[in-house]
Amino acid sequence: MNVTVRQLAEWVSGEVLGDPDLSITNARALTEAGPGDITFVETDKNLSAWNASKASAAVVGASVPKSERPLIRVADPLMAFADIVRHLRGHPAEPRGVIHASAHVHPTARLDPGVTVGPFAVIGEGTQLGENTTVGAGTVIGRFCKLGRDNVLHPRVVLYDDCVFGDRVTVHAGAVIGAEGFGYRAAQEGAHIKVPQLGGVEVENDVEIGAGSAIARGTFGPTRIGVGTKIDNLVQIGNNSRIGRHNLLCGQVGIADSCVTGDYTVMAGQVGVADHITIGKQVIIGAKSGVICDVPDGTTVFGSPAGPGNEQLRMLIILKKVPELRNEVKQIKKFLGMGDE
């Protein structure tokens, strides 16, 4: 696809600096772009890479200086460049409102206008799907689920019975929502006794759930995921937990049962949270941290067990000095005639 720099600028409401009639054939990242490509320069830190690049043009922010090559100046270069990529590489939209012949939709299920159901998908008894919701191939939605409008369930997602979604929820391939929580009574007469898991899962508007993630149903009431929360791939959320609004849960986070998080909390990769923990709002938890006690609002913690960031940094500094301190102790003991160990 050949377009001019002027056309690209019109797509993203940007200002052209340089030749507006230069022809562009593709959009590539800064390290991969070549002649005929447009790229993007997000900050001044990328200027040296831009100067070394063979790209023909770039989408830039306000701080990037003029160049001999054409520039498109915008407020947010990353998002503008993403729009350009979609325009240049976009595929025709799939038809909406199509129920594949191989899909099984229970007679009591209600599908609003524009719902699309892919091959071999299953929609259970009494389930309701809101307008323009898409159900991917092989996805299974259980009984009495209720989904709002504009949801997207990618292939092979599983929703157990009684799941409730708001609007614009995206669930990626292989995620399992509403499986029974891991709840057992202590061993009695040599066997663990399973506690019935009779609640569901409630996912509010604008949530994204990554591939292979699992959210367990509550014991009696629902497990809840708050508005705007983004969950990465391979994340586990235990039964009865309540995840706040606009949380970011990165890959391989594991949250045990009955935990609560505040709004705008971030958990980096492989964070583990013990059961019945309350984590405040605007908390940041560093990668691979183990959280075993409550975390107050606005705190940054890391380590295992997780602790305040400044304390953990001091401990790390001290640990690095241990070999040196050990050698000094050995020298002192030798000087005092106490041996070198």
Side-chain angles (χ1 to χ4, degrees):
M1 182 177 184
N2 288 328
V3 295
T4 65
V5 170
R6 178 186 288 109
Q7 288 174 296
L8 296 177
E10 291 172 353
W11 288 348
V12 297
S13 300
E15 174 192 6
V16 177
L17 304 176
D19 181 8
D21 297 317
L22 181 71
S23 181
I24 298 295
T25 59
N26 205 348
R28 301 181 193 274
L30 190 55
T31 56
E32 301 174 353
D37 295 335
I38 188 168
T39 187
F40 77 104
V41 182
E42 190 167 15
T43 67
D44 293 347
K45 295 179 181 179
N46 306 119
L47 285 177
S48 59
W50 162 240
N51 293 330
S53 169
K54 297 181 180 180
S56 295
V59 180
V60 302
S63 64
V64 175
K66 291 184 178 180
S67 167
E68 295 180 357
R69 292 171 284 180
L71 303 176
I72 299 175
R73 184 160 285 167
V74 295
D76 189 337
L78 174 61
M79 299 306 292
F81 185 71
D83 285 342
I84 288 173
V85 170
R86 278 193 285 264
H87 273 89
L88 291 178
R89 304 184 192 172
H91 300 291
E94 293 185 0
R96 304 190 72 89
V98 176
I99 312 299
H100 196 276
S102 64
H104 174 75
V105 179
H106 194 277
T108 63
R110 192 190 81 191
L111 278 57
D112 287 347
V115 169
T116 301
V117 182
F120 301 104
V122 176
I123 313 296
E125 176 187 359
T127 283
Q128 302 175 31
L129 303 182
E131 291 183 17
N132 300 321
T133 286
T134 299
V135 179
T139 286
V140 177
I141 302 178
R143 303 183 308 153
F144 308 113
C145 294
K146 185 177 181 180
L147 281 64
R149 62 178 301 145
D150 300 310
N151 285 272
V152 178
L153 277 60
H154 288 280
R156 298 186 181 278
V157 167
V158 176
L159 269 59
Y160 281 63
D161 297 350
D162 303 309
C163 288
V164 178
F165 282 16
D167 301 332
R168 299 174 302 279
V169 175
T170 298
V171 185
H172 291 279
V176 178
I177 315 298
E180 292 191 356
F182 194 69
Y184 295 86
R185 288 286 185 95
Q188 299 177 20
E189 298 180 357
H192 296 292
I193 308 301
K194 188 171 184 63
V195 175
Q197 305 293 308
L198 306 175
V201 174
E202 293 183 1
V203 179
E204 297 183 357
N205 295 346
D206 301 304
V207 168
E208 185 163 356
I209 299 170
S213 291
I215 302 174
R217 67 195 303 108
T219 305
F220 300 114
T223 300
R224 291 189 173 94
I225 311 298
V227 169
T229 283
K230 312 301 182 185
I231 298 171
D232 198 358
N233 301 335
L234 301 174
V235 171
Q236 159 72 21
I237 298 175
N239 56 305
N240 304 314
S241 290
R242 290 183 285 128
I243 306 302
R245 301 164 62 249
H246 303 291
N247 281 208
L248 295 176
L249 308 182
C250 299
Q252 298 185 354
V253 162
I255 300 175
D257 65 276
S258 303
C259 292
V260 177
T261 71
D263 299 339
Y264 296 97
T265 280
V266 178
M267 298 187 193
Q270 295 187 334
V271 165
V273 182
D275 60 327
H276 296 83
I277 297 295
T278 297
I279 296 171
K281 62 185 179 182
Q282 296 180 322
V283 167
I284 298 175
I285 304 177
K288 295 190 175 183
S289 295
V291 182
I292 60 172
C293 58
D294 293 350
V295 182
D297 294 348
T299 306
T300 297
V301 299
F302 66 90
S304 187
N310 53 356
E311 292 182 9
Q312 296 286 17
L313 285 173
R314 284 196 294 269
M315 290 176 63
L316 288 174
I317 292 170
I318 292 170
L319 284 173
K320 288 181 179 180
K321 293 181 177 180
V322 167
E324 178 185 345
L325 292 171
R326 183 174 183 272
N327 288 332
E328 290 179 358
V329 170
K330 287 172 65 176
Q331 292 175 14
I332 292 171
K333 291 176 69 176
K334 186 176 182 179
F335 178 78
L336 295 174
M338 300 171 63
D340 59 357
E341 292 298 330

